[in-house]
Amino acid sequence: MSINRKQFLEMTAALAGSSIMTSTMPWFSIFNNPAPIGKDASDRVRLGVIGVGSRGTGLVQNLQELEKTMNIEIAAVCDNYEPHYDRAIELTGGNAEAFLDYREMLEEVDLDGVVIATPLYEHAQMTMDAMQAGLHVYCEKAMARHLEDVKAMYETHLEEDKILLIGHQRLFNPVYLQSMEKIKRGDLGPLVMMRGWWTRNTDWVFYDNTGGRGTELDRRLNWRFYEDLSAGMISELGSHHFQVANWVLGSPPESVMGSGSINYFDDGREVYDNFGLIFRYPDNIHFVYDCITSNKHNGVQVQVMGNDGTLELESNMQYQENPPEPPAMQKLVECIEQNKNEAIPIGGATWVLNSPVRMGGEYITPEYDMNDTLLYLEGFVNFIRKGIAPEKLTKEGYNASVWTLLAEQATKTGEMVTAPEEYILS
Amino acid sequence: MSKTLNLYRNGFYAMATRFFVLIPELEDGSGDELFQKIKDEVNRIESRLSRFIKESEISKINREAFKADVETDDECFEILSACKYGWKMTDGAFDITLRPLMDYWKNEDNQPDETLQAVKESVGMQHVELDEENQTVGFKNENTELDLGGFGKGYALEKIKQMIESSAIKDAFISFGESSVLAMGEHPAGGAWKIGINDYTNPGNSIHEFEVSNGSVSTSSNFFLNDEGVLQNHTHIINPKTGKPHENFTAASVSARSPILAEILSTACLLLSDEKIRELMEKYDDIEIIKVDYEPEKPEVSEFKSIGE
């Protein structure tokens, strides 16, 4: 069985108003209580997209899905790299106004919001400029390259009273909807640890023919490799899972330790090709995380471990810790302890696990083919219409981004890092 | 004074049920290592044989074997050959192609009518062709579907039995969903393991006892009691001869050295006549079968034993 939109809405409706929903994931209620969609041109939500590279292209395509049902319009597109600028025009069929400079776009086009999918180091200025120009912002993760920029973005959001959402798309994933419910309901027993990893076997080169590492073009296109532009896999991959850990454990970490190195892809890149981190959370819980780009055996995973069970969030699986022991087995043990060889009544028809699926586990939520990025953008449009988004959603992005940078700091210094007072949200 | 024993106990879920292992005289470290090997092997087998897993060999065969013959590896071909042998040996009472009939009867509105006739004609191992030379499997009927649910546990125990035999461990007791039990070596108090068959009219008491050393007991029935002793009519055993669910309250248990043989025979004996069971017994020197009829007020147990070694 797999769920469709209708069943997804039944799932969110079933949790509506519950303390689990309001305290951990209030944004899911937007699907049962969407903003009214007027049909007139004046009711149309007009969006601009800044950055139409690999991720930006995907976001444009998702927005085009929404154009079919939500009375929205991709009114403007922008990219300062000409091949991407041309692609943006082609993708939007020439209907969106195209710009090489986002500032011109902000000045010239009447927009309600922007979607930003530029390299990490450009996020902060663009986001703040957009909000100061009166626009709501959906910005790809992570927020910024520097802590002070993350904070400045967050403060601008408060000062300008504009929506700021960061693209950790698991926040809108149906698996997490069901997982948070199970976790909060106590299905796993007391939580004792989280583990996560992202392992791949790839050189991670997005663009060939840039002239090699260190050239201006390589810095521009393969920006993920340069320390001043990106924190490498810590910001581009890890931040997704740091957000998940904060969300599941209901708090940002207390501290982080870590180490990283380049031991295989020594091609002139400045960021690690492998690293390991240990985050410590309140209640003495650790989140152990590692990442490697030269071995893919373990794939990608986040495990939530409780004393009674485990959730594997990336594969939508849950495992109970201990099957109930057959009563006859207990009797056998008693007999052995008393040194008696008595017959134990064990034989019978097969004992059956409820809703069994595969390999000792069950699905967390039925299979689905829903696209969490699309759901997130649908949420963004609805929040724009309402003029407000749940503050917790913005805070999830903020805390994940702050701890991404603190984790990087831990690997650089070899020290246990805690958050400076000024970065802790009340 | 009874001596203090190291008793390694551990369990996990697999094949839609629970698996428990008990090994006397084994300290935790070695126990964990052996347990991990057993668990890996059970998972490996499940990942190959489960029709619920899209990537499994059986799923692949179910998808493709009608369109074109599917090439299999040695293990898979041996398994299917064993299933076909079991089908022949039991006059079709053990049959891994009955899934479409089970699905038919899951819908309570369905009746024995023409549709049933069509489904009935589509099942049966006669539709499954095994080509030994090319090691391929092909379906002759479009609706044929393999379901190794009644075979996998026995097969897993067979492999685990071999694993234990080639290890330093002599004594072990393993329950796979209680319907398949493997008893290796001796009970710590001495003598063969005594495996009781639960009496459904008097739960927690044995209606029969098998003495087993290095062998297996498999039980089939079309109903069962959960841990709380509540009757669960959880599954339909299909009688391939009639195409209908076997509705009598009966159970069959088979003790044999080979867990696979015990598994095949327990399913078949639920449906076979006493005469056919006696005929089967003649082929083997190590099996013991009981059939329990729960229909009368007091359950009636029929025993069949092969004549000596």
Side-chain angles (χ1 to χ4, degrees):
Chain A
M1 162 182 167
S2 71
I3 53 166
N4 54 26
R5 172 92 184 182
K6 181 168 169 278
Q7 284 145 338
F8 171 69
L9 292 180
E10 284 167 9
M11 279 156 54
T12 51
L15 286 171
S18 67
S19 65
I20 289 172
M21 182 78 121
T22 50
S23 67
T24 66
M25 45 189 177
W27 49 89
F28 273 113
S29 62
I30 195 69
F31 298 104
N32 298 108
N33 185 23
I37 303 177
K39 289 205 168 78
D40 300 338
S42 60
D43 295 322
R44 191 165 299 155
V45 171
R46 291 167 57 83
L47 298 172
V49 179
I50 308 176
V52 192
S54 54
R55 181 67 180 161
T57 298
L59 292 172
V60 166
Q61 286 160 344
N62 276 304
L63 290 172
Q64 286 172 331
E65 249 337 276
L66 295 180
E67 278 182 332
K68 295 174 189 167
T69 54
M70 290 195 84
N71 194 15
I72 67 159
E73 180 185 355
I74 304 174
V77 286
C78 173
D79 203 301
N80 65 1
Y81 178 60
E82 274 193 34
H84 291 175
Y85 171 84
D86 294 339
R87 176 159 74 190
I89 294 171
E90 196 189 317
L91 266 173
T92 52
N95 294 322
E97 284 186 67
F99 296 86
L100 287 160
D101 185 333
Y102 78 96
R103 282 166 292 220
E104 284 177 25
M105 182 182 100
L106 297 181
E107 266 172 36
E108 292 175 23
V109 189
D110 181 21
L111 296 170
D112 298 298
V114 291
V115 169
I116 298 174
T118 53
L120 178 67
Y121 65 98
E122 295 183 322
H123 287 173
Q125 196 59 52
M126 291 173 171
T127 299
M128 290 190 289
D129 286 347
M131 289 192 287
Q132 278 157 356
L135 306 182
H136 300 296
V137 175
Y138 173 100
C139 177
E140 264 309 321
K141 60 95 246 293
M143 282 169 83
R145 184 68 191 94
H146 303 289
L147 278 174
E148 50 272 33
D149 288 339
V150 173
K151 194 175 180 209
M153 289 163 82
Y154 186 74
E155 283 174 349
T156 307
H157 139 79
L158 294 179
E159 284 157 15
E160 300 293 333
D161 198 16
K162 290 290 166 270
I163 295 165
L164 174 59
L165 304 182
I166 307 303
H168 298 100
Q169 73 265 21
R170 285 161 182 76
L171 287 160
F172 279 79
N173 191 302
V175 170
Y176 288 79
L177 175 76
Q178 297 281 283
S179 298
M180 294 304 280
E181 186 189 3
K182 285 170 193 283
I183 293 164
K184 298 296 169 193
R185 202 168 58 192
D187 288 11
L188 304 183
L191 298 189
V192 288
M193 185 178 260
M194 283 186 69
R195 295 173 66 207
W197 55 89
W198 200 321
T199 75
R200 312 191 297 185
N201 200 331
T202 167
D203 60 13
W204 214 29
V205 174
F206 275 67
Y207 297 89
D208 292 318
N209 308 319
T210 56
R213 299 295 88 79
T215 62
E216 200 188 322
L217 187 59
D218 199 60
R219 282 177 56 83
R220 189 168 179 190
L221 296 177
N222 291 318
W223 52 271
R224 291 168 180 82
F225 289 155
Y226 299 95
E227 213 181 339
D228 53 335
L229 312 180
S230 167
M233 297 192 293
I234 298 177
S235 56
E236 306 312 320
L237 302 180
S239 65
H240 279 296
H241 291 143
F242 308 158
Q243 181 273 314
V244 168
N246 293 347
W247 188 19
V248 166
L249 298 172
S251 161
E254 292 173 343
S255 66
V256 58
M257 298 189 286
S259 186
S261 71
I262 297 173
N263 63 22
Y264 185 80
F265 285 111
D266 195 6
D267 60 353
R269 70 186 62 186
E270 297 167 7
V271 297
Y272 305 138
D273 64 10
N274 75 99
F275 66 81
L277 299 166
I278 302 173
F279 294 90
R280 189 171 172 122
Y281 280 82
D283 299 327
N284 305 314
I285 294 175
H286 293 104
F287 171 44
V288 182
Y289 191 79
D290 63 76
C291 199
I292 187 164
T293 193
S294 51
N295 177 297
K296 63 178 161 50
H297 178 70
N298 285 307
V300 56
Q301 196 55 271
V302 180
Q303 296 178 324
V304 185
M305 301 151 79
N307 192 242
D308 298 331
T310 301
L311 298 185
E312 291 192 344
L313 297 171
E314 291 287 345
S315 42
N316 187 18
M317 293 297 289
Q318 59 179 328
Y319 301 86
Q320 296 179 59
E321 190 71 0
N322 292 305
E325 198 170 39
M329 207 75 178
Q330 293 163 25
K331 200 167 168 185
L332 175 60
V333 171
E334 280 166 29
C335 284
I336 291 174
E337 281 167 356
Q338 293 162 14
N339 204 29
K340 288 191 299 197
N341 187 355
E342 278 178 15
I344 51 131
I346 191 161
T350 312
W351 181 91
V352 181
L353 174 66
N354 288 330
S355 69
V357 181
R358 58 189 288 178
M359 313 293 280
E362 301 156 76
Y363 285 117
I364 295 170
T365 195
E367 289 182 280
Y368 61 93
D369 56 4
M370 303 181 79
N371 168 349
D372 48 16
T373 300
L374 184 64
L375 290 172
Y376 202 158
L377 291 171
E378 181 185 336
F380 179 51
V381 170
N382 271 303
F383 296 137
I384 290 178
R385 286 191 200 282
K386 295 198 172 197
I388 190 167
E391 187 59 15
K392 181 170 168 55
L393 190 50
T394 306
K395 285 183 175 174
E396 285 291 332
Y398 173 88
N399 282 322
S401 299
V402 164
W403 282 90
T404 294
L405 297 171
L406 294 175
E408 183 201 22
Q409 195 181 315
T411 62
K412 293 273 163 64
T413 60
E415 284 170 6
M416 189 173 84
V417 174
T418 56
E421 197 65 42
E422 64 266 33
Y423 293 109
I424 300 174
L425 296 183
S426 56
Chain B
M1 282 280 289
S2 65
K3 59 175 177 171
T4 316
L5 268 172
N6 272 323
L7 205 54
Y8 185 83
R9 296 158 76 180
N10 211 338
F12 61 95
Y13 289 108
M15 299 189 188
T17 186
R18 57 189 176 191
F19 182 108
F20 272 90
V21 55
L22 194 154
I23 305 172
E25 300 290 7
L26 189 67
E27 47 88 20
D28 281 357
S30 318
D32 282 343
E33 284 171 25
L34 177 71
F35 180 75
Q36 188 61 43
K37 277 187 199 160
I38 289 174
K39 190 172 168 181
D40 287 347
E41 179 63 0
V42 172
N43 283 338
R44 186 191 71 81
I45 292 167
E46 183 174 6
S47 72
R48 302 207 69 196
L49 302 189
S50 171
R51 68 189 177 89
F52 293 108
I53 297 174
K54 285 198 287 279
E55 307 81 18
S56 76
E57 265 77 357
I58 292 304
S59 294
K60 182 173 183 244
I61 290 168
N62 283 340
R63 272 193 309 271
E64 299 172 8
F66 178 68
K67 287 172 254 168
D69 289 357
V70 177
E71 207 177 312
T72 65
D73 65 3
D74 293 350
E75 183 183 38
C76 200
F77 195 80
E78 276 169 24
I79 286 169
L80 294 178
S81 303
C83 289
K84 190 143 192 177
Y85 175 78
W87 174 75
K88 276 186 193 148
M89 176 180 76
T90 61
D91 285 352
F94 172 80
D95 192 335
I96 59 171
T97 68
L98 300 175
R99 174 56 48 183
L101 277 174
M102 285 186 207
D103 291 341
Y104 183 85
W105 289 110
K106 260 189 197 158
N107 183 342
E108 285 168 10
D109 297 335
N110 280 341
Q111 291 301 319
D113 56 19
E114 284 163 22
T115 348
L116 171 65
Q117 196 54 31
V119 180
K120 196 179 159 225
E121 279 165 16
S122 75
V123 305
M125 279 302 272
Q126 71 275 10
H127 298 305
V128 180
E129 272 195 337
L130 299 175
D131 178 340
E132 267 183 54
E133 203 170 312
N134 300 309
Q135 218 161 285
T136 58
V137 52
F139 293 165
K140 286 192 283 187
N141 187 294
E142 196 175 354
N143 298 318
T144 301
E145 197 186 333
L146 304 180
D147 174 5
L148 289 168
F151 183 84
K153 287 188 287 297
Y155 182 69
L157 287 184
E158 193 84 44
K159 302 293 273 188
I160 292 165
K161 186 174 183 230
Q162 290 166 9
M163 200 186 275
I164 292 173
E165 278 166 349
S166 62
S167 77
I169 290 157
K170 284 197 182 67
D171 309 322
F173 187 92
I174 292 170
S175 167
F176 203 165
E178 288 92 279
S179 59
S180 306
V181 176
L182 174 68
M184 299 297 289
E186 291 194 346
H187 190 285
W193 297 89
K194 292 176 183 165
I195 298 174
I197 301 303
N198 202 10
D199 180 352
Y200 288 130
T201 57
N202 192 6
N205 293 280
S206 304
I207 203 159
H208 181 83
E209 292 175 22
F210 291 102
E211 294 210 358
V212 182
S213 178
N214 304 320
S216 172
V217 172
S218 170
T219 300
S220 286
S221 89
N222 55 346
F223 65 96
F224 89 129
L225 303 184
N226 67 12
D227 287 345
E228 285 71 46
V230 180
L231 180 72
Q232 313 274 310
N233 197 5
H234 75 118
T235 184
H236 289 298
I237 303 267
I238 301 287
N239 186 336
K241 292 277 180 282
T242 61
K244 293 181 200 163
H246 176 73
E247 278 170 350
N248 297 347
F249 275 68
T250 49
S253 301
V254 177
S255 161
R257 269 200 296 271
S258 156
I260 291 179
L261 183 65
E263 196 83 17
I264 289 175
L265 289 180
S266 70
T267 308
C269 288
L270 202 58
L271 306 170
L272 291 174
S273 67
D274 290 2
E275 195 185 348
K276 177 66 192 171
I277 294 174
R278 274 186 211 100
E279 207 179 290
L280 271 173
M281 305 293 295
E282 288 170 15
K283 291 189 189 154
Y284 301 96
D285 59 11
D286 68 327
I287 57 175
E288 196 183 336
I289 299 175
I290 62 155
K291 260 180 96 166
V292 187
D293 185 352
Y294 283 98
E295 296 284 325
E297 199 156 319
K298 198 170 177 299
E300 288 172 6
V301 182
S302 321
E303 288 182 51
F304 309 84
K305 234 176 175 166
S306 43
I307 310 158
E309 311 223 341

